[in-house]
Amino acid sequence: MDESALSLGVWLQWKAPQAPPGVVTAWDAAAEAELDDPETGVGDDPAYGRVVTTDPAWDEALETLAADPEFHRRRELVGGIGLHVVVREVDEWTLMPWPSDELVDDVVLTVPAAQVLAAESRAELYLEAVVALITSTQENLGLGE
């Protein structure tokens, strides 16, 4: 497990068939299809586990976050809520609290794989995603300024 992600409470999951060089993911399309089944599916609910993903650009983004006092201030405001950036084949960024809007243990921001693949800097895009994730979580839960 990535110690930086664990200490910051922010995780990356790559759930798309095409990954850029340097990205290693344990994502399995067949297993994912079973989870996404509307009859039984849990989709991106982190309670059912995370797809182990490594990306040097994510590590770079985590280093930047670790040195940012504003990130730490906001991270403290949202407490122990898990923050997840999930890259998959979708059309737009989507924010989803788990298990529900009223009881939030985790928040997932789904980011289009095509946008990440086309990014001039994946690290910068990841930072943008984490900032959007943490500020939206803070605002949606009314957790101070």
Side-chain angles (χ1 to χ4, degrees):
M1 178 175 289
D2 182 346
E3 292 302 317
S4 294
L6 182 60
S7 68
L8 297 175
V10 183
W11 291 272
L12 172 68
Q13 299 180 70
W14 191 278
K15 296 182 172 185
Q18 184 180 1
V23 172
V24 178
T25 179
W27 181 72
D28 178 327
E32 186 71 18
E34 204 171 289
L35 289 175
D36 282 340
D37 179 340
E39 298 290 321
T40 62
V42 294
D44 290 327
D45 184 351
Y48 292 90
R50 291 187 298 268
V51 172
V52 176
T53 301
T54 59
D55 181 350
W58 179 250
D59 295 340
E60 183 181 332
L62 290 180
E63 287 176 21
T64 300
L65 292 170
D68 182 357
E70 180 63 12
F71 169 79
H72 289 285
R73 184 185 76 76
R74 289 181 181 272
R75 186 67 184 105
E76 191 171 309
L77 288 171
V78 299
I81 293 172
L83 303 173
H84 307 265
V85 174
V86 176
V87 179
R88 61 165 57 245
E89 292 184 330
V90 295
D91 293 328
E92 60 186 33
W93 291 35
T94 306
L95 194 68
M96 176 67 74
W98 291 96
S100 71
D101 288 337
E102 293 78 33
L103 177 65
V104 180
D105 294 330
D106 295 278
V107 179
V108 174
L109 177 63
T110 307
V111 178
Q115 189 176 1
V116 180
L117 289 166
E120 189 172 312
S121 167
R122 282 195 324 273
E124 288 297 320
L125 189 134
Y126 289 149
L127 283 171
E128 181 183 339
V130 172
V131 167
L133 176 58
I134 199 162
T135 56
S136 295
T137 299
Q138 181 186 347
E139 289 169 10
N140 291 341
L141 296 176
L143 299 172
E145 199 44 48

